[in-house]
Amino acid sequence: MLLLATISSHAQYRRTQMQMPVADKTKEIPMKPIVVEGELAGVPDGTPVQFAFRVKRTRAWDTANNTLVDTLRNGKFHIEKKFIYKDFDENDDNMEYMINVEGKALFVYAYPGAKVKVTGNPSTRQDVITWKAESDHPLQKEFYEYRAYEQEKLAPIRKKIQEAYEADDVDEALVQKLGRQRDSINVVSMLDFMKNKECNSVFAMYLSSISNKAMRLGNKQLKDRILNLFLTKVPVDYDGQNAVEAKGFLSSGEQLKIGAQSKDFTLYDRKGKEHRISEFKGKYTILEFTSKFCGPCLAMLPELEGLYKRNNDRMELVAISVDPESIWMKEDNKLSYHDWNDHKCAVDLANVYGAKGTPCFVIIDPEGKVLDVSHGAGAFYKAFVKCIPDAEIEKMLCNNK
C-alpha cells in the first residue's frame, strides 16, 4: 500500500545485477535453480526445514502455499527452488527468502543459479543468530553487517539480562525493565546506523523491527524519529511488506470498526487552507486514500468525477493523498472534488480507517458513522449504490457481471 521505492527502477537494477534479459511474456523459459544445502547441529533428524518465498513482493510469507520442505538426514538438508523467466514478470523481488527450522527463521538473499550453504545451530533465542547463510548476493553481506552492529550495541544490556535471569531469586520487574532498556537501545542505535544506509529489503526489515519496538515502548519521540527516517529514506512508491508494516507500527490510534463514529483529522488543500473531515456532517462523506503512483487510482478519476458531479448535493468526496506533500503538490489533477494532504503521508488516517492499500474508500454517513471500508473500485461502487442510488454506477456494475 499504502503510501509508499520506484518499482521500475528497482526491477531494472535487479535485471542488470542478474545479467538476465527482460522476460518474454509469451514463453516460460527455464532458469537455473537456487540450491540451498545445509548442515545443522543440535537439531534432530526428521525435523522439517522450510524454504519460504513470496509470489509477490507485497505479500507476507505464506508458509502454507509458497514453501519447499526437506527433512534433516544426518543433520543435512537439500532444497532446490526452480524458476522460469515468467516468475520475474510477476515478481520483481525474487531474491529474499526465509529458512525456518522449529520456528527459528534465517533470511537468505540469492539470485537464480546461486548455491547457498547454511550452517550452524538455530538458537533458542530469537534475538541472536547462531546459524548463517553463505550467499554471493550483496544483500546477504549487508544483512550480516546490520546483525553485527546490532549484536555489538546490545551485548552489554544482554549480559545484564542474562545475569538477572541467573540470580537465585529472579526479579521479574527488573527483567522487564531491562527488556525495555534493551529495546530502547536497539531502536536508538539502529536509527544512528540506518541514517547512512539506502532503502532495500534489509533496510525495510529493520525499519519494521525498530518501528514495532518503538510502538511497544509507547515512545512518541522515537516513533517521530523513525517516521522522519522513513520519509527521508523510503521512496514514495516502495511497497515492500516490511515498509507497509512499519507504517502501521508508526501510526497512532486504534482502527475504527464499521458502525463506529468517525474520527476527525486536520488536512490541508493545495492553497494550505486547513480542513476537517467533520465539516461535511449532514452529507455522506467519501474518503479516498490515493497516490499518484497508483495506476487503479488514476484509472478511476473520470468515473469519480462523474459520480461526484451527479451526487454532490448528497455527498462530498475527499481524495486524501498518501504521498509526501512535495510529491502531492507536483501533481494537480484539477479535480472537481476535494484533494487534501495531511503533510504526513496519511499514516495515522490510514491506520485509523483501516486503509491497507490504494485505492481505499471509506463511506461515512450524514451522522458521522463509518458505514463501509472498501479496497478497489468494484467493492466501493457496490457499497456506494447501497447508500446513494446512481444509475450510471449500477449500469456499470451490471455490465461487469
Short mmCIF file of all heavy atoms in Angstrom, two decimals, residues 272-299:
data_model
loop_
_atom_site.label_atom_id
_atom_site.label_comp_id
_atom_site.label_asym_id
_atom_site.label_seq_id
_atom_site.Cartn_x
_atom_site.Cartn_y
_atom_site.Cartn_z
N GLY A 272 -3.05 25.49 1.15
CA GLY A 272 -2.63 25.49 2.54
C GLY A 272 -3.75 25.75 3.52
O GLY A 272 -3.51 25.85 4.72
N LYS A 273 -4.98 25.81 3.03
CA LYS A 273 -6.11 26.05 3.92
C LYS A 273 -6.42 24.79 4.72
O LYS A 273 -6.44 23.69 4.20
CB LYS A 273 -7.34 26.48 3.13
CG LYS A 273 -8.54 26.83 4.01
CD LYS A 273 -9.73 27.27 3.17
CE LYS A 273 -10.93 27.57 4.05
NZ LYS A 273 -12.12 28.00 3.25
N GLU A 274 -6.70 24.97 6.00
CA GLU A 274 -6.97 23.86 6.90
C GLU A 274 -8.40 23.38 6.78
O GLU A 274 -9.33 24.19 6.68
CB GLU A 274 -6.67 24.29 8.34
CG GLU A 274 -6.77 23.19 9.37
CD GLU A 274 -6.36 23.66 10.75
OE1 GLU A 274 -5.19 24.07 10.91
OE2 GLU A 274 -7.22 23.65 11.66
N HIS A 275 -8.58 22.06 6.81
CA HIS A 275 -9.92 21.46 6.72
C HIS A 275 -10.05 20.36 7.76
O HIS A 275 -9.06 19.81 8.25
CB HIS A 275 -10.17 20.88 5.33
CG HIS A 275 -10.20 21.90 4.24
ND1 HIS A 275 -11.32 22.62 3.92
CD2 HIS A 275 -9.21 22.33 3.41
CE1 HIS A 275 -11.04 23.44 2.92
NE2 HIS A 275 -9.77 23.29 2.59
N ARG A 276 -11.29 20.01 8.07
CA ARG A 276 -11.59 18.89 8.97
C ARG A 276 -12.55 17.95 8.26
O ARG A 276 -13.43 18.38 7.50
CB ARG A 276 -12.25 19.40 10.25
CG ARG A 276 -11.46 20.45 10.99
CD ARG A 276 -10.30 19.85 11.77
NE ARG A 276 -10.77 19.10 12.94
CZ ARG A 276 -9.95 18.46 13.77
NH1 ARG A 276 -8.64 18.47 13.55
NH2 ARG A 276 -10.43 17.80 14.80
N ILE A 277 -12.40 16.66 8.52
CA ILE A 277 -13.31 15.68 7.92
C ILE A 277 -14.74 15.93 8.37
O ILE A 277 -15.69 15.74 7.61
CB ILE A 277 -12.85 14.25 8.30
CG1 ILE A 277 -11.50 13.95 7.64
CG2 ILE A 277 -13.89 13.21 7.87
CD1 ILE A 277 -10.91 12.62 8.05
N SER A 278 -14.90 16.40 9.58
CA SER A 278 -16.23 16.59 10.15
C SER A 278 -17.00 17.75 9.54
O SER A 278 -18.20 17.92 9.82
CB SER A 278 -16.12 16.83 11.66
OG SER A 278 -15.34 17.99 11.93
N GLU A 279 -16.38 18.56 8.70
CA GLU A 279 -17.07 19.74 8.18
C GLU A 279 -18.19 19.38 7.20
O GLU A 279 -18.99 20.24 6.83
CB GLU A 279 -16.09 20.71 7.52
CG GLU A 279 -15.41 20.21 6.26
CD GLU A 279 -14.31 21.16 5.79
OE1 GLU A 279 -13.33 21.38 6.53
OE2 GLU A 279 -14.46 21.70 4.67
N PHE A 280 -18.28 18.12 6.82
CA PHE A 280 -19.33 17.72 5.88
C PHE A 280 -20.48 16.98 6.54
O PHE A 280 -21.26 16.29 5.87
CB PHE A 280 -18.73 16.84 4.77
CG PHE A 280 -17.67 17.53 3.97
CD1 PHE A 280 -16.43 16.94 3.80
CD2 PHE A 280 -17.89 18.78 3.43
CE1 PHE A 280 -15.44 17.57 3.06
CE2 PHE A 280 -16.91 19.44 2.70
CZ PHE A 280 -15.68 18.82 2.51
N LYS A 281 -20.58 17.08 7.85
CA LYS A 281 -21.70 16.41 8.53
C LYS A 281 -23.01 16.90 7.96
O LYS A 281 -23.20 18.08 7.69
CB LYS A 281 -21.64 16.68 10.04
CG LYS A 281 -20.99 15.56 10.83
CD LYS A 281 -21.27 15.68 12.32
CE LYS A 281 -20.76 14.44 13.05
NZ LYS A 281 -21.02 14.51 14.49
N GLY A 282 -23.96 15.97 7.83
CA GLY A 282 -25.23 16.29 7.17
C GLY A 282 -25.28 15.74 5.77
O GLY A 282 -26.35 15.63 5.17
N LYS A 283 -24.11 15.37 5.21
CA LYS A 283 -24.00 14.72 3.90
C LYS A 283 -23.21 13.42 4.08
O LYS A 283 -22.48 13.25 5.06
CB LYS A 283 -23.24 15.61 2.91
CG LYS A 283 -23.99 16.77 2.32
CD LYS A 283 -23.11 17.42 1.26
CE LYS A 283 -23.83 18.50 0.51
NZ LYS A 283 -22.96 19.08 -0.56
N TYR A 284 -23.34 12.53 3.12
CA TYR A 284 -22.41 11.40 3.06
C TYR A 284 -21.02 11.94 2.74
O TYR A 284 -20.88 12.84 1.90
CB TYR A 284 -22.83 10.40 1.99
CG TYR A 284 -24.01 9.54 2.37
CD1 TYR A 284 -25.30 9.89 1.98
CD2 TYR A 284 -23.84 8.38 3.11
CE1 TYR A 284 -26.40 9.12 2.32
CE2 TYR A 284 -24.92 7.59 3.46
CZ TYR A 284 -26.19 7.97 3.07
OH TYR A 284 -27.27 7.20 3.42
N THR A 285 -20.01 11.41 3.42
CA THR A 285 -18.63 11.80 3.14
C THR A 285 -17.86 10.57 2.68
O THR A 285 -17.87 9.54 3.34
CB THR A 285 -17.95 12.37 4.40
OG1 THR A 285 -18.68 13.50 4.87
CG2 THR A 285 -16.52 12.81 4.09
N ILE A 286 -17.24 10.68 1.51
CA ILE A 286 -16.44 9.59 0.95
C ILE A 286 -14.97 9.98 1.01
O ILE A 286 -14.57 11.01 0.46
CB ILE A 286 -16.81 9.28 -0.52
CG1 ILE A 286 -18.33 9.22 -0.71
CG2 ILE A 286 -16.12 8.00 -0.98
CD1 ILE A 286 -19.00 8.11 0.04
N LEU A 287 -14.18 9.19 1.72
CA LEU A 287 -12.75 9.40 1.76
C LEU A 287 -12.08 8.42 0.80
O LEU A 287 -12.36 7.22 0.85
CB LEU A 287 -12.20 9.17 3.17
CG LEU A 287 -12.88 9.91 4.33
CD1 LEU A 287 -12.21 9.55 5.65
CD2 LEU A 287 -12.86 11.42 4.11
N GLU A 288 -11.24 8.93 -0.07
CA GLU A 288 -10.48 8.06 -0.97
C GLU A 288 -8.99 8.20 -0.65
O GLU A 288 -8.41 9.27 -0.83
CB GLU A 288 -10.69 8.43 -2.44
CG GLU A 288 -9.89 7.52 -3.37
CD GLU A 288 -9.60 8.13 -4.74
OE1 GLU A 288 -9.83 9.33 -4.93
OE2 GLU A 288 -9.13 7.38 -5.61
N PHE A 289 -8.36 7.13 -0.19
CA PHE A 289 -6.91 7.11 0.01
C PHE A 289 -6.28 6.79 -1.35
O PHE A 289 -6.55 5.75 -1.94
CB PHE A 289 -6.52 6.08 1.05
CG PHE A 289 -6.93 6.46 2.44
CD1 PHE A 289 -8.19 6.11 2.93
CD2 PHE A 289 -6.10 7.20 3.25
CE1 PHE A 289 -8.59 6.47 4.21
CE2 PHE A 289 -6.48 7.57 4.53
CZ PHE A 289 -7.73 7.21 5.01
N THR A 290 -5.43 7.71 -1.84
CA THR A 290 -4.95 7.61 -3.21
C THR A 290 -3.50 8.03 -3.31
O THR A 290 -2.94 8.63 -2.38
CB THR A 290 -5.83 8.48 -4.14
OG1 THR A 290 -5.40 8.32 -5.49
CG2 THR A 290 -5.73 9.95 -3.74
N SER A 291 -2.88 7.72 -4.44
CA SER A 291 -1.49 8.08 -4.68
C SER A 291 -1.28 8.32 -6.18
O SER A 291 -1.92 7.66 -7.01
CB SER A 291 -0.56 6.96 -4.21
OG SER A 291 0.76 7.15 -4.69
N LYS A 292 -0.36 9.21 -6.50
CA LYS A 292 -0.06 9.46 -7.90
C LYS A 292 0.64 8.26 -8.54
O LYS A 292 0.73 8.16 -9.77
CB LYS A 292 0.81 10.70 -8.06
CG LYS A 292 2.22 10.56 -7.52
CD LYS A 292 3.14 11.69 -7.99
CE LYS A 292 3.45 11.57 -9.45
NZ LYS A 292 4.41 12.57 -9.94
N PHE A 293 1.15 7.33 -7.72
CA PHE A 293 1.83 6.15 -8.23
C PHE A 293 0.90 4.94 -8.33
O PHE A 293 1.33 3.84 -8.64
CB PHE A 293 3.01 5.81 -7.32
CG PHE A 293 4.01 6.92 -7.21
CD1 PHE A 293 4.00 7.76 -6.11
CD2 PHE A 293 4.94 7.14 -8.21
CE1 PHE A 293 4.91 8.80 -6.00
CE2 PHE A 293 5.85 8.18 -8.10
CZ PHE A 293 5.84 9.01 -7.01
N CYS A 294 -0.38 5.15 -8.03
CA CYS A 294 -1.37 4.08 -8.03
C CYS A 294 -2.12 4.07 -9.36
O CYS A 294 -2.96 4.96 -9.61
CB CYS A 294 -2.33 4.26 -6.85
SG CYS A 294 -3.77 3.19 -6.89
N GLY A 295 -1.83 3.08 -10.22
CA GLY A 295 -2.49 3.01 -11.52
C GLY A 295 -4.00 2.93 -11.43
O GLY A 295 -4.71 3.67 -12.12
N PRO A 296 -4.57 2.03 -10.60
CA PRO A 296 -6.02 1.96 -10.47
C PRO A 296 -6.64 3.27 -10.00
O PRO A 296 -7.76 3.62 -10.39
CB PRO A 296 -6.22 0.85 -9.43
CG PRO A 296 -5.02 -0.02 -9.58
CD PRO A 296 -3.90 0.92 -9.88
N CYS A 297 -5.92 4.01 -9.15
CA CYS A 297 -6.43 5.31 -8.68
C CYS A 297 -6.59 6.26 -9.86
O CYS A 297 -7.61 6.94 -10.01
CB CYS A 297 -5.50 5.94 -7.65
SG CYS A 297 -5.24 4.95 -6.17
N LEU A 298 -5.57 6.32 -10.71
CA LEU A 298 -5.60 7.23 -11.86
C LEU A 298 -6.69 6.79 -12.85
O LEU A 298 -7.37 7.63 -13.45
CB LEU A 298 -4.23 7.24 -12.54
CG LEU A 298 -3.06 7.74 -11.68
CD1 LEU A 298 -1.75 7.65 -12.46
CD2 LEU A 298 -3.30 9.18 -11.22
N ALA A 299 -6.85 5.48 -13.01
CA ALA A 299 -7.86 4.98 -13.95
C ALA A 299 -9.28 5.34 -13.50
O ALA A 299 -10.18 5.48 -14.33
CB ALA A 299 -7.71 3.47 -14.10
#
